[in-house]
């Protein structure tokens, strides 16, 4: 596995999402940054709808369902525009602003984030050494093996009786397509999706949201690019903690989907012609499947922020003194939206036994973290905080509808984080944050969606003051322009360098520790990884491998392509599996154990010791005394990691 392999995986990911996404954006009439920003939610919607439809039509998972869904949706949009004369109307008035600052912002953000993520993963085949990654990597393999990436199917990996009825599968659907197309390793495909979502989707969305709210000024756009890569809470935190790959993917497209809502409601500086409202309705609705199936928590984050915009838009409408009949229709629509939002708030949350994260700070400490952007015990990103304060001051002074939305959105997301990390009243806390498992890191990752535009606005305001002083100090026009450019470039360099120190550097170092492959890595050590990579040459394709998934042995499924008895830690255990886990070392004297072994086709065992990913203890007595039991023989070993073959129940099964 080389960095070239990772580059191929990133390119394949981009093609899978952006080709259909850009195609749909073009059919809607979107151009420039709007097309680039909306391509992600549109393309992801195509993929997730294809993953849902394919099994219903008995189609194996692959590019064919994706192409088919794209053709159907694209044909519907084209037909609608043709019937309504929409091809003669542009969804946005052409902007008088220059495009180069926007392009430079996207390149700047992507470059900085690529450097950060390169430092984090360290090698293209490294994996996140975290609990959730057992499911995510094996889930990609399961989608490939079953030719089914539907969110209604993926949860069955953990149970023969069906398991979880819905699991957000967009991440696994895209990654499995990357493996199909390129043949890269699953770990490389997963990392390719990490780079793509963090370096391309996230900056495109946040820069688009900034431009929608506050304009396309050079300083504003460049600052947005810098701050998109300057907040440890997103995208680094969800790529480190958990690991929250599906949530990170969903959040990366929230800003663009939110920008479409603001454009629809005419909040901000966007210039939307009359008579094309239906185009923006389609743009908003076209984003929602991507959010919901990438992760319901991302959809709920969008719902909170979009609801603020809907409320502001409705108040604006009331202040315009509308006529009675339109007022009744608008009021009915608003009430319907409120009802749907409240229903989603009530329904779209995990079960009670999954919302077990308790508060970890006092209320005062929680407020302190929220106000200083030092989420989850991180360092304070000083420059980002200063720029945020400046941006809030600008908003308070101007009080445009965009400013009101930005202030309210920042306050709301901050309050949700405070509730999750420190609210001492359980019922109220659960009411507010249940949609995110009452888990503070998930709430922390949402706030940067609003902080990036505000911090960019603050930095642009500071530059505006600096420009005034330059103009006063330098009288000659030509010299003034040169001085402006020189000082501007210098300040931009300082802004980039300053924001990458302190909090970001600390976050990168912490995340890198979670991806490092060492002798004592939390999930799979160097020795264990070396053994897993040799399994394809040592274990037949139809054999099943037993072993404790808590020690990383279950990742033999994802990393070697060999079936395992337990592909995840949280499994529904049947009687035969329980018997193997509890008594395999008695196989020479207990015929019922051999019966279970034969039913489950278990021929091999991976022994990765007793150290578990979370440092807990989940004993499997059947694996404790294998070496001395006579039930197995050693096939291969690397350090303390051992691969056994079961011989007690007949070697030629």
């Amino acid at each position: 596995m080389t960095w070239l392999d990772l580059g191929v995986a990133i390119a394949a990911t981009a093609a899978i999402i952006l080709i259909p996404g850009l195609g749909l954006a073009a059919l809607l009439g979107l151009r420039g940054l709007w097309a680039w920003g909306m391509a992600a939610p549109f393309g992801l919607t195509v993929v997730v709808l294809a993953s849902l439809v394919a099994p219903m039509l008995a189609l194996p998972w692959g590019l064919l369902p994706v192409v088919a869904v794209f053709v159907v949706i694209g044909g519907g949009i084209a037909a609608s525009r043709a019937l309504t004369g929409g091809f003669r109307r542009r969804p946005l008035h052409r902007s008088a602003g220059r495009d180069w600052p926007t392009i430079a912002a996207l390149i700047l953000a992507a470059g900085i984030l690529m450097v950060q993520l390169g430092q984090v993963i360290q090698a293209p085949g490294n994996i996140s050494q975290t609990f959730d990654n057992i499911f995510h990597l094996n889930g990609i393999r399961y989608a490939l093996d079953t030719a089914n990436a539907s969110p209604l199917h993926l949860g069955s990996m953990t149970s023969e009786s069906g398991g979880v009825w819905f699991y957000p599968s967009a991440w696994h659907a895209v990654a499995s397509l990357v493996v199909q197309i390129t043949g890269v390793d699953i770990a490389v495909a997963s990392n390719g999706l990490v780079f793509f979502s963090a370096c391309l989707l996230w900056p495109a969305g946040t820069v688009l949201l900034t431009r929608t709210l506050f304009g396309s000024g050079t300083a504003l756009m460049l600052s947005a690019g810098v701050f998109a890569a300057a907040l440890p809470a997103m995208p680094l935190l969800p790529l480190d903690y958990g690991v929250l790959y599906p949530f990170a993917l969903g959040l990366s497209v929230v800003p663009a989907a939110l920008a479409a809502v603001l454009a629809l409601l005419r909040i901000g500086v966007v210039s939307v012609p009359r008579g094309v409202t239906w185009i923006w309705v389609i743009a908003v609705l076209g984003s929602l499947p991507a959010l919901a199936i990438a992760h319901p928590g991302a959809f709920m984050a969008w719902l909170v922020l979009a609801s603020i915009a809907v409320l502001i838009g409705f108040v604006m409408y009331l202040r315009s003194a509308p006529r009675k009949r339109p007022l009744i229709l608008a009021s009915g629509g608003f009430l319907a939206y409120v009802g749907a939002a409240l229903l989603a708030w009530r329904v779209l949350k995990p079960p009670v036994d999954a919302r077990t994260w308790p508060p970890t700070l006092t209320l005062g400490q929680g407020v302190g973290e929220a106000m200083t952007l030092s989420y989850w015990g991180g360092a304070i990103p000083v420059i980002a905080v200063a720029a945020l304060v400046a941006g809030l001051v600008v908003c308070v002074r101007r009080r445009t509808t965009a400013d009101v939305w930005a202030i309210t959105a920042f306050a709301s997301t901050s309050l949700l984080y405070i509730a999750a990390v420190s609210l001492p009243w359980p019922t109220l806390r659960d009411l507010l944050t249940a949609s995110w498992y009452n888990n503070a890191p998930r709430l922390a990752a949402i706030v940067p969606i609003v902080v990036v535009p505000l911090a960019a606005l603050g930095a642009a305001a500071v530059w505006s003051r600096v420009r005034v002083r330059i103009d006063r100090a330098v009288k000659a026009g030509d010299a003034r322009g040169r001085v402006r450019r020189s000082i501007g470039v210098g300040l931009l360099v300082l802004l980039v360098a300053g924001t990458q120190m302190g909090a970001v550097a600390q976050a990168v170092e912490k995340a890198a520790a979670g991806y490092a492959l060492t002798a004592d890595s939390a999930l799979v050590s160097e020795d264990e990884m070396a053994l897993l990579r040799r399994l394809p040459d040592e274990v037949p394709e139809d054999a099943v491998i037993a072993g404790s998934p808590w020690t990383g042995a279950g990742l033999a499924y994802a990393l070697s392509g060999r079936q395992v008895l337990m592909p995840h830690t949280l499994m529904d255990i049947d009687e035969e599996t329980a018997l193997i886990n509890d008594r395999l070392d008695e196989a020479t004297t207990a015929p019922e154990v051999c019966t279970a072994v034969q039913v489950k086709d278990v021929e091999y065992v991976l022994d990765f010791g007793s150290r578990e990913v979370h440092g807990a203890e989940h004993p499997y007595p059947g694996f404790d005394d294998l070496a001395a039991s006579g039930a197995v023989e050693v096939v291969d070993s690397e350090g303390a990691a051992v691969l056994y073959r079961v011989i007690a129940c007949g070697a030629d099964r």
Side-chain angles (χ1 to χ4, degrees), residues 547-550 566 568-569 573 580-583 585 612 618-624:
S548 169
W550 294 90
M566 297 181 65
H568 191 37
T569 57
I573 303 299
I580 293 169
N581 289 339
D582 293 341
R583 299 177 58 195
D585 54 6
E612 299 184 1
H618 296 84
Y620 294 95
F623 307 144
D624 288 347

Side-chain angles (χ1 to χ4, degrees), residues 230-539:
L231 300 168
M234 182 66 192
L236 285 176
L237 181 57
L239 299 178
D240 173 26
Y241 174 86
V243 62
L244 308 179
Y245 285 149
F247 188 56
L249 178 61
L251 285 186
S252 70
V253 297
V254 167
L258 194 57
V261 174
L262 296 174
L264 173 64
L265 298 173
R266 294 176 173 82
I267 295 174
V269 299
V270 291
S271 182
V272 178
R274 297 292 176 183
V276 295
T277 300
W278 68 272
I279 292 179
W280 291 101
V281 171
I282 291 176
V284 171
L285 295 178
S287 304
L288 299 189
L291 294 173
I293 299 180
H295 200 285
F299 172 79
M300 294 304 294
W302 172 87
L303 184 67
V304 169
L305 297 170
S307 296
I308 297 169
V310 170
L311 178 59
I312 292 172
F314 185 62
V315 171
M316 289 167 52
Y317 181 74
L318 293 179
R319 293 178 65 182
S320 68
R323 295 180 180 179
K324 184 177 181 180
R325 184 176 179 182
L327 176 60
I328 293 173
L329 292 174
S331 299
F334 176 73
L335 292 176
Y337 175 88
V338 171
L342 291 175
L343 180 63
W345 192 267
R346 179 179 178 82
V347 172
L348 294 181
K349 55 187 176 183
V352 174
D353 58 1
R355 313 196 303 257
T356 56
W357 277 273
T360 57
L361 301 176
T362 66
L363 192 55
Q365 290 171 328
V367 172
E369 282 195 352
M371 295 302 99
T372 58
L373 309 183
S374 55
Y375 305 109
W376 205 236
I380 299 173
V382 177
I383 295 176
V385 172
L388 170 65
V389 171
L392 288 170
V393 170
V394 172
C395 289
V396 170
R397 287 180 173 176
R398 294 190 314 196
R399 294 188 297 280
T400 66
T401 54
D403 297 329
V404 172
W405 179 87
I407 294 171
T408 309
F410 174 68
S412 300
T413 52
S414 297
L415 285 172
L416 288 173
Y417 174 78
I418 293 168
V421 80
S422 61
L423 200 64
W425 303 289
T427 302
L428 178 59
R429 178 174 178 266
D430 189 69
L431 176 66
L432 293 173
T433 63
S435 295
W436 302 277
Y437 299 84
N438 297 326
N439 181 239
R442 286 175 169 86
L443 274 304
I446 296 171
V447 189
I449 294 170
V450 187
V451 172
V452 171
L454 282 170
L457 178 65
V462 171
W463 169 244
S464 180
R465 294 292 184 92
V466 171
R467 282 187 59 181
V468 170
R469 298 204 172 189
I470 293 172
D471 291 347
R472 289 175 179 172
V474 182
K475 302 302 182 182
D478 292 341
R480 182 185 298 166
R482 289 193 297 271
V483 172
R484 275 185 187 173
R485 287 191 291 272
S486 299
I487 294 178
V489 171
L491 290 176
L492 179 62
V493 170
L494 289 176
L495 183 63
V496 171
T499 54
Q500 296 307 300
M501 298 177 185
V504 170
Q506 181 196 70
V508 168
E509 182 179 2
K510 180 177 178 297
Y515 283 80
L517 182 62
T518 66
D520 57 353
S521 298
L523 182 57
V524 178
S525 69
E526 285 178 306
D527 289 342
E528 292 163 352
M529 183 65 78
L531 187 57
L532 288 175
R533 295 298 184 189
R534 293 201 293 266
L535 291 184
D537 297 326
E538 299 169 335
V539 176

Side-chain angles (χ1 to χ4, degrees), residues 133-159:
N133 208 24
I134 302 171
F135 184 94
H136 295 322
L137 295 182
N138 282 341
I140 297 169
R141 177 69 67 186
Y142 188 65
L144 289 166
D145 283 356
T146 60
N148 189 338
S150 170
L152 307 180
H153 168 76
L154 194 66
S156 66
M157 183 180 74
T158 61
S159 173

Side-chain angles (χ1 to χ4, degrees), residues 7 26 31 33 105 107 165 225 298 395 453 469 611:
R31 300 292 184 268
L33 180 60
I107 294 173
W165 76 271
C395 289
R469 298 204 172 189
R611 185 172 60 86

Side-chain angles (χ1 to χ4, degrees), residues 112-183:
I112 296 171
L113 286 166
M114 281 186 179
V115 171
Q116 290 179 9
L117 292 181
Q119 293 175 314
V120 168
I121 71 166
Q122 303 157 65
N126 279 2
I127 65 171
S128 172
Q129 301 275 345
T130 48
F131 172 82
D132 289 46
N133 208 24
I134 302 171
F135 184 94
H136 295 322
L137 295 182
N138 282 341
I140 297 169
R141 177 69 67 186
Y142 188 65
L144 289 166
D145 283 356
T146 60
N148 189 338
S150 170
L152 307 180
H153 168 76
L154 194 66
S156 66
M157 183 180 74
T158 61
S159 173
E160 292 183 358
S161 61
V164 180
W165 76 271
F166 174 89
Y167 192 90
S169 65
W171 178 274
H172 314 85
V174 174
S176 60
L177 287 176
V178 172
V179 175
Q180 280 188 358
I181 293 170
T182 65

